[in-house]
């Protein structure tokens, strides 16, 4: 995962929190971690929820702090990142509306393993960890929902590791842009959801490498204009992603199959 220089963040304190609106609670109740629970359970769990509005650079929590809550994004984009020993920023994930995070530490206790800060103007619901634990004692199905959500997060992380290992920078950027297109074919103009340096970090690239990839994508009708991207033929971009994904996954699995064969080969046999 590409590291970028650490950005200054500003911590959001308890005085910035307000009561959630009915729309906030509706969005929160529809997120994956809560959607399988019965309405009464969700209502009790959200009874002590608060909401906070963030500006770019505002931090919800910092790496190493005691876990005090878990969070649901209502609007905007939230960046999760770790600080390396060299003081650089390594982007782990970028979350948006309807996604939750920090369930595991709220459920099991401990410290936040990463920092969470706003990449754009954002609105986030916070559910206190102590309230979560109190609810779990009375309604164990909440724990099952959180374990399932944590499993989904792990699955996405494994997919991202595979993507970074198997795909070229061109493939990663093409897939990212294709995911933003509202239709399967035709032309469209999309807006980049957050700044290019964060896009580069999310895709495991340096900013200058991202610029070179954008230039190469002009050959398939993708024109990046500041924060807007004009895609002349969405189907062509998706076709590029699909064909390259098949080749990349084949190479990824072939390489790991060879590694397993080498690891199991007798020590006195020469390796291929």
């Amino acid at each position: 995962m590409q590291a970028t220089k650490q950005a200054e963040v500003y911590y959001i304190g308890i005085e910035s929190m307000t009561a959630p609106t009915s729309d906030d609670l509706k969005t929160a109740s529809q997120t994956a971690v809560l959607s399988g629970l019965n309405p009464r359970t969700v209502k009790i769990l959200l009874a002590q929820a608060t909401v906070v509005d963030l500006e770019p650079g505002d931090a919800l929590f910092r790496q190493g702090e005691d876990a005090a809550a878990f969070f649901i994004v209502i609007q905007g984009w939230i960046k999760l990142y770790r600080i390396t020993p060299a003081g650089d920023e390594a982007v782990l994930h970028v979350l948006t509306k309807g996604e939750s995070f920090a369930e595991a530490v709220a459920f099991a206790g401990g410290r936040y393993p990463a920092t969470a800060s706003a990449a754009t103007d954002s609105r986030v619901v916070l559910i206190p960890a102590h309230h979560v634990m109190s609810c779990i004692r009375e309604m164990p199905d909440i724990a099952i929902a959180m374990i399932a959500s944590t499993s989904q997060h792990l699955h996405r992380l494994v997919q991202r590791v595979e993507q970074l290992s198997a795909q070229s920078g061109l493939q990663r950027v093409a897939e990212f842009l294709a995911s933003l297109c509202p239709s399967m074919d035709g032309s469209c103009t999309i807006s980049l959801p957050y700044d290019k340096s964060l896009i580069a970090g999310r895709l495991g690239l340096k900013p200058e490498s991202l610029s070179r990839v954008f230039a190469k994508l002009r050959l398939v009708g993708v024109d990046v204009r500041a924060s807007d991207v004009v895609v002349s033929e969405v189907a062509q971009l998706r076709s590029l992603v699909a064909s390259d994904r098949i080749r990349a996954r084949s190479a990824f699995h072939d390489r790991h199959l060879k590694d397993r064969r080498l690891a199991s080969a007798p020590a006195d046999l020469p390796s291929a």
Side-chain angles (χ1 to χ4, degrees):
M1 299 178 185
Q2 177 63 40
T4 56
K5 200 62 182 176
Q6 178 183 357
E8 184 176 7
V9 294
Y10 299 91
Y11 187 73
I12 297 299
I14 191 71
E15 67 278 359
S16 303
M17 300 176 189
T18 58
T21 66
S22 58
D23 286 342
D24 295 333
L25 295 175
K26 180 179 179 180
T27 299
S29 66
Q30 293 172 345
T31 198
V33 68
L34 302 183
S35 60
L37 300 173
N38 69 61
R40 177 181 175 277
T41 299
V42 173
K43 183 176 181 180
I44 294 172
L45 185 60
L46 293 176
Q48 291 191 22
T50 55
V51 69
V52 62
D53 291 305
L54 309 171
E55 296 179 355
D58 289 342
L60 279 167
F61 55 79
R62 293 192 178 95
Q63 179 179 331
E65 291 181 341
D66 290 333
F70 89 91
F71 307 85
I72 298 171
V73 184
I74 301 300
Q75 149 187 341
W77 293 85
I78 300 294
K79 172 179 63 173
L80 297 181
Y81 64 94
R82 285 181 60 85
I83 303 302
T84 69
D88 293 331
E89 179 184 297
V91 178
L92 303 177
H93 196 27
V94 187
L95 303 107
T96 193
K97 181 179 179 178
E99 294 187 273
S100 59
F101 57 102
E103 299 99 311
V105 287
F107 171 52
R111 299 178 182 274
Y112 292 119
T115 296
S117 69
T120 65
D121 289 337
S122 303
R123 187 172 175 86
V124 179
V125 163
L126 298 77
I127 304 175
H130 66 82
H131 178 61
V132 172
M133 292 307 300
S134 176
C135 290
I136 286 174
R137 293 186 187 99
E138 297 182 14
M139 297 167 287
D141 51 332
I142 295 175
I144 296 173
M146 290 197 164
I147 291 171
S149 180
T150 300
S151 177
Q152 290 175 353
H153 290 323
L154 179 59
H155 181 65
R156 285 196 294 267
L157 181 60
V158 170
Q159 288 182 318
R160 183 160 186 252
V161 170
E162 179 178 342
Q163 180 192 50
L164 292 174
S165 301
Q167 292 184 324
S168 68
L170 179 66
Q171 294 161 6
R172 283 174 251 155
V173 175
E175 187 165 26
F176 175 74
L177 294 178
S179 71
L180 299 175
C181 295
S183 60
M184 298 298 292
D185 53 24
S187 62
C188 70
T189 298
I190 56 178
S191 295
L192 297 176
Y194 35 81
D195 66 70
K196 293 176 183 176
S197 63
L198 179 52
I199 293 173
R202 174 179 177 176
L203 299 177
L205 299 170
K206 295 180 179 179
E208 56 269 28
S209 298
L210 179 64
S211 296
R212 288 194 292 269
V213 170
F214 280 155
K216 290 179 181 179
L217 284 173
R218 293 195 190 108
L219 297 175
V220 292
V222 178
D223 186 13
V224 181
R225 305 171 182 174
S227 62
D228 290 329
V229 180
V230 178
V231 181
S232 61
E233 183 47 66
V234 175
Q236 187 175 1
L237 179 63
R238 293 186 183 276
S239 177
L240 170 68
V241 173
S243 61
D244 282 344
R245 185 189 293 119
I246 292 172
R247 289 197 296 270
R249 285 184 176 173
S250 177
F252 178 80
H253 291 299
D254 286 348
R255 184 168 66 251
H256 281 263
L257 179 60
K258 181 179 179 181
D259 289 342
R260 288 196 297 270
R261 286 173 176 170
L262 289 175
S264 62
D268 58 342
L269 292 180
S271 59

